[in-house]
Amino acid sequence: MSSFDILLEPKNSYPFFASLKNNNVQAYSARFMVKYEDVIKIENLIELFFLKKITQKKECVSFNGKALHYFRFEEFNQTVIDITTNNIDLIKMLFDERLTPPGPDAVFPNSDFESLGSLQGSMEYWWNVYWSPFWKVQSEQEKKIYFLRNNISNDLRDFMILHS
């Protein structure tokens, strides 16, 4: 209990870390999809705070009263990170990284977004679990920048706006 700090979460933070305090666990947990190149950034931050290099897909580390459960796995042919930790400083650094999950066109490269009217099945699951937590915290200006930076087609842009 003495090593549990309250996370004063910025309003527009991503990834979203949920408190586990109601489950009598003095930590926060997040599951988020990342681009492959961001895995090394995350694992380097973990090494910085816990003085241990992540070498496995599943690891538990602790240092100086702080603990971390780390799990990396593949879903939708993308990398997913699951973290449970009581290290608020690590969480804040993850916020500062401004991580972005792979977009719909990367996860579903063969989809015709113009013809998709509603979310269902695996796309609905992916949208609700992995995309929406990121997309909901983006301002309208940040969404416009995302569209431009990622060269999003009009069909995909319309699809993303429709489901926002």
Side-chain angles (χ1 to χ4, degrees), residues 43 52 54-61 69-73 82:
E43 291 181 354
K52 181 177 185 313
I54 297 295
T55 59
Q56 305 293 317
K57 289 185 175 190
K58 193 176 205 179
E59 294 211 29
C60 296
V61 295
H69 291 250
Y70 175 85
F71 182 41
R72 181 182 75 236
F73 62 96
D82 191 298

Side-chain angles (χ1 to χ4, degrees), residues 14-15 32 34 38 41-42 94-95 97-101 134:
Y14 179 83
F32 51 100
V34 296
D38 288 336
K41 291 178 189 177
I42 294 165
L94 287 169
F95 291 159
E97 284 295 321
R98 304 210 25 94
L99 300 168
T100 304
F134 163 74

Side-chain angles (χ1 to χ4, degrees), residues 23-87:
N23 298 333
N24 293 320
V25 177
Q26 307 303 316
Y28 295 90
S29 182
R31 176 175 285 185
F32 51 100
M33 188 174 280
V34 296
K35 296 174 184 170
Y36 181 76
E37 60 269 17
D38 288 336
V39 172
I40 192 73
K41 291 178 189 177
I42 294 165
E43 291 181 354
N44 284 342
L45 284 174
I46 292 169
E47 183 177 2
L48 177 70
F49 284 96
F50 290 93
L51 304 180
K52 181 177 185 313
K53 187 159 189 65
I54 297 295
T55 59
Q56 305 293 317
K57 289 185 175 190
K58 193 176 205 179
E59 294 211 29
C60 296
V61 295
S62 63
F63 179 74
N64 207 20
K66 303 296 181 185
L68 174 120
H69 291 250
Y70 175 85
F71 182 41
R72 181 182 75 236
F73 62 96
E74 301 295 314
E75 191 168 26
F76 296 103
N77 295 317
Q78 304 293 326
T79 303
V80 177
I81 304 288
D82 191 298
I83 290 177
T84 301
T85 188
N86 63 345
N87 191 317

